């Protein structure tokens, strides 16, 4: 009998009352390994009320004491990282080492949040007028929520929880029901670190749970990562109910390869960026744009050589370059897009549909039911094809050839998505011009996956991001706090009578 993953509320596991559950699969075998409770609206509202009660004491705790809890939390996550990564790997399908990277990149942001005592300081102006001082305070919003995706079940929850908690908020996490165990484990470790019960809650669910968070008058901010249609839905719903929102959607990330680039370096970088984690990354490179036909021909041959060496296998296989997709629905979608590209006339150089797992078994487990698909490569793709316009979210790389730098630059600039982009070149002037002119939120120069470090912000443009504040970095504390400005005067002497004109300083 499979185990049941419960909600985590007020510092302890809490079984769902509705009886509604969803299967949690092992993507490498296709077998059910657990079920997860799905919350009703009433259950979500109870969690919100509990978080609101707990938040008052947490906000009253000094920032220095709050970050001591976060420091211990970081220590405990590091001590348990192999266990966490193994669980993540078995539920998501990414390889064990990739899963550890998922956790570590999340911890980077929690480490940044340790600077909360400094980041939360306000401003002070002395004697702006006779006897008048003005100062500001950054105060927590109250109860905030994160709605996070399946593809980074540790990193993105930590990106949101770390700054939110450091700023004095209570945080409610609604993770993906596809891989819910790691978020619960993170909340358990927060309690072990000394975090108060009710400050970090995990509630599982589907659209019902999401809408309950969106409709609540108590929840003051929502952080979301997922598809663009859902990002727009949440952003619009938050605007209607007066909530802050940072909603990050889909991506179609380009890599430009100029004729002067080291093509071996570019091909190696492209291989990992396109096929790592089976392409299930919002920062994956899915469009290669070689400039010039000679560059394109050489790049194509180098990619064919490298793709032929990749091993697709069980998520815990140390020799696997990448594992399965997360679910049968994901596998069906990727196969369908490959068929669409072929039907549209793109040159299907390598067809991943013909390859499943490289091996039939791993550690005694039958892999025939796993959601494996081999790496796919298209060439001579045009901008009207669905494999170019849409986010496939699988191990599919398309080559779109450009004759000039200007033609190549126009591709990411005119695409609906603007999440990440990269350029490979040895020409500093070209790289500088590209970084200045490209209409994309995150840019890599000879860096294939330009995920900013924790003390810079992460966020896309256009249909990739909705809201004016990004994830992590300085924006995180701006997002999770509100500014209160105080004008103060302590009168000396007798009252001088009422004033009926607008006060003027100076």
């Amino acid at each position: 009998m499979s185990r049941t993953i419960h909600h985590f509320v007020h510092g302890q596991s809490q079984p769902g009352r509705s009886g509604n559950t969803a299967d949690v699969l092992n993507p490498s075998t296709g077998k059910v390994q657990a079920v997860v409770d799905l919350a009703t609206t009433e259950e979500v509202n109870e969690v919100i009320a509990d978080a609101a009660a707990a938040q008052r004491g947490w906000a009253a705790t000094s920032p220095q004491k709050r970050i001591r809890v976060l420091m211990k939390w970081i220590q405990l996550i590091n001590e348990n990282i192999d266990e966490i990564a193994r669980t993540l790997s078995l539920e998501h399908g990414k390889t064990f080492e990739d899963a550890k990277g998922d956790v570590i990149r999340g911890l980077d942001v929690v480490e940044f949040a340790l600077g909360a005592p400094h980041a939360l300081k306000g401003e002070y102006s002395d004697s702006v007028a006779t006897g008048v001082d003005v100062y500001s305070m950054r105060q927590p919003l109250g109860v905030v929520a994160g709605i996070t995706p399946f593809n980074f079940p540790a990193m993105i929850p930590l990106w949101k929880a770390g700054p939110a908690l450091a700023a004095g908020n209570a945080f409610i996490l609604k993770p993906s029901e596809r891989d819910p165990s790691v978020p619960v484990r993170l909340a358990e470790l927060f309690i072990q670190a000394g975090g108060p019960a009710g400050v970090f809650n995990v509630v599982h669910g589907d659209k019902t749970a999401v809408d309950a968070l969106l409709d609540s008058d108590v929840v003051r901010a929502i952080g979301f990562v997922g598809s663009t249609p859902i990002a727009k839905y949440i952003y619009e719903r938050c605007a209607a109910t007066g909530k802050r929102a940072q909603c990050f959607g889909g991506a179609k990330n380009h890599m430009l390869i100029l004729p002067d680039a080291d093509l071996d370096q570019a091909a190696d970088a492209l291989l990992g960026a396109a096929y790592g984690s089976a392409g299930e990354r919002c920062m994956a490179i899915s469009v290669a744009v070689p400039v010039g036909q000679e560059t394109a021909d050489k790049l194509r041959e180098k990619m064919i050589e490298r793709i032929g060496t990749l091993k697709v296998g069980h998520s815990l296989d140390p020799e696997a370059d990448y594992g399965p997709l997360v679910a049968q629905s994901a596998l069906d979608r990727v196969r369908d897009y490959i068929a669409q590209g072929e039907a549209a006339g793109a040159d299907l150089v390598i067809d991943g549909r013909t390859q499943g797992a490289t091996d039939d078994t791993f550690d005694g487990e039958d892999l025939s039911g796993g959601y494996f698909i081999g790496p796919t490569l298209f060439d001579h793709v045009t901008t009207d094809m669905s494999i170019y316009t849409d986010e496939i979210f699988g191990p599919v790389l398309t080559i779109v050839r450009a004759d000039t730098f200007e033609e190549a630059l126009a591709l990411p600039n005119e695409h609906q998505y603007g999440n990440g982009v990269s350029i490979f070149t040895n020409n500093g002037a070209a790289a500088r011009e590209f970084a200045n002119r490209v209409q994309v939120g995150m840019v890599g120069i000879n860096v294939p996956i330009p995920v900013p470090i924790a003390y810079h912000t992460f966020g896309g443009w256009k249909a990739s991001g909705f809201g004016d504040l990004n994830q992590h970095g300085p924006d995180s504390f701006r997002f999770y706090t509100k500014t209160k400005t105080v004008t103060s005067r302590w009168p000396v002497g007798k009252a001088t009578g009422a004033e009926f004109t607008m006060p003027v300083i100076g």
Side-chain angles (χ1 to χ4, degrees):
M1 182 178 295
S2 59
R3 60 190 174 91
T4 301
I5 302 164
H6 300 306
H7 312 298
F8 191 84
V9 181
H10 201 74
Q12 61 187 354
S13 177
Q14 179 173 299
R17 299 195 303 269
S18 69
N20 296 327
T21 61
D23 290 340
V24 178
L25 304 170
N26 181 336
S28 294
T29 64
K31 295 180 180 178
V32 176
Q33 59 180 319
V35 295
V36 59
D37 290 327
L38 301 180
T40 63
T41 299
E42 292 73 21
E43 287 175 302
V44 174
N45 286 336
E46 290 171 7
V47 175
I48 294 170
D50 183 76
Q55 188 269 335
R56 290 188 286 273
W58 182 241
T61 303
S62 74
Q64 195 74 30
K65 290 182 178 179
R66 291 200 299 262
I67 68 154
R68 287 174 186 154
V69 173
L70 266 62
M71 290 171 68
K72 182 64 176 179
W73 191 31
I74 292 168
Q75 177 188 337
L76 290 174
I77 293 172
N78 275 311
E79 289 174 358
N80 291 274
I81 193 167
D82 284 354
E83 168 225 322
I84 295 169
R86 187 177 190 280
T87 301
L88 194 161
S89 182
L90 288 173
E91 288 187 357
H92 173 274
K94 65 176 66 177
T95 64
F96 176 77
E97 290 300 325
D98 195 22
K100 287 183 72 171
D102 189 328
V103 180
I104 292 167
R105 289 308 294 259
L107 286 176
D108 287 348
V109 172
V110 186
E111 290 171 351
F112 168 78
L114 298 180
H118 175 74
L120 297 175
K121 288 191 304 184
E123 299 172 316
Y124 195 101
S125 294
D126 174 69
S127 299
V128 298
T130 303
V132 178
D133 305 321
V134 177
Y135 60 93
S136 63
M137 299 181 286
R138 284 197 174 274
Q139 297 183 322
L141 300 179
V143 178
V144 300
I147 302 169
T148 57
F150 76 87
N151 62 322
F152 284 99
M155 183 181 80
I156 295 179
L158 289 170
W159 280 9
K160 298 188 179 302
L165 293 167
N169 299 284
F171 183 72
I172 299 173
L173 174 62
K174 206 305 286 182
S176 171
E177 61 274 22
R178 287 177 168 174
D179 43 13
S181 293
V182 167
V184 171
R185 186 68 177 125
L186 296 176
E188 291 172 348
L189 293 174
F190 178 77
I191 295 298
Q192 290 183 30
V199 168
F200 184 3
N201 301 290
V202 180
V203 59
H204 308 292
D206 49 19
K207 186 176 183 294
T208 298
V210 169
D211 285 346
L213 292 170
L214 298 180
D215 292 341
S216 169
D217 292 331
V218 177
V219 177
R220 302 311 307 152
I222 298 285
F224 171 81
V225 177
S227 69
T228 288
I230 306 302
K232 290 179 67 176
Y233 169 79
I234 291 175
Y235 186 65
E236 291 167 357
R237 193 85 168 247
C238 286
T241 55
K243 291 178 176 58
R244 288 189 182 179
Q246 48 174 206
C247 300
F248 298 96
K252 198 70 176 180
N253 305 320
H254 297 63
M255 179 194 285
L256 276 63
I257 301 98
L258 302 194
D260 68 308
D262 183 318
L263 289 185
D264 286 312
Q265 290 182 0
D268 287 341
L270 190 54
L271 191 74
Y275 300 117
S277 198
E280 290 179 324
R281 293 172 176 160
C282 68
M283 294 298 289
I285 295 293
S286 53
V287 183
V289 187
V291 177
Q293 297 305 313
E294 182 180 353
T295 305
D297 290 341
K298 290 180 178 178
L299 180 69
R300 169 176 166 150
E301 291 308 310
K302 291 182 182 296
M303 293 307 299
I304 292 171
E305 293 172 7
R306 286 163 171 77
I307 291 171
T309 68
L310 294 181
K311 180 178 181 179
V312 182
H314 192 287
S315 59
L316 296 181
D317 184 348
E319 296 180 357
D321 293 293
Y322 70 84
L325 295 172
V326 72
Q328 182 66 47
S329 58
L331 181 60
D332 292 342
R333 184 191 67 248
V334 174
R335 285 174 171 167
D336 181 62
Y337 269 111
I338 296 171
Q340 290 180 44
E342 187 176 29
D347 180 8
L348 183 53
V349 182
I350 298 174
D351 187 351
R353 294 172 299 178
T354 63
Q355 179 188 342
T358 305
D359 299 326
D360 296 329
T361 62
F362 174 75
D363 199 23
E365 289 190 293
D366 179 10
L367 305 185
S368 62
Y371 310 124
F372 298 99
I373 188 167
T376 292
L377 178 65
F378 280 103
D379 194 3
H380 299 287
V381 174
T382 57
T383 58
D384 58 337
M385 296 177 180
S386 64
I387 56 171
Y388 176 76
T389 59
D390 299 355
E391 182 178 41
I392 299 173
F393 224 57
V396 179
L397 176 64
T398 60
I399 297 176
V400 180
R401 297 176 177 230
D403 290 326
T404 65
F405 173 81
E406 291 295 332
E407 183 182 330
L409 176 63
L411 291 169
N413 279 357
E414 295 173 3
H415 203 282
Q416 65 168 325
Y417 295 121
N419 200 46
V421 70
S422 179
I423 185 170
F424 270 67
T425 179
N426 286 313
N427 186 320
R432 186 174 186 276
E433 181 177 2
F434 176 79
N436 183 263
R437 293 175 58 193
V438 71
Q439 299 299 300
V440 174
M442 292 171 284
V443 181
I445 297 174
N446 298 317
V447 174
I449 304 178
V451 179
I453 53 178
Y455 38 95
H456 287 260
T457 67
F458 178 108
W461 290 8
K462 297 182 283 190
S464 294
F466 303 88
D468 55 3
L469 289 172
N470 289 336
Q471 297 183 98
H472 66 67
D475 275 6
S476 61
F477 285 112
R478 297 186 187 107
F479 182 76
Y480 287 118
T481 60
K482 53 184 179 288
T483 302
K484 180 182 290 182
T485 305
V486 180
T487 302
S488 172
R489 181 177 67 175
W490 298 96
V492 177
K494 298 180 179 180
T496 58
E499 296 181 3
F500 297 94
T501 59
M502 185 69 181
V504 177
I505 301 297

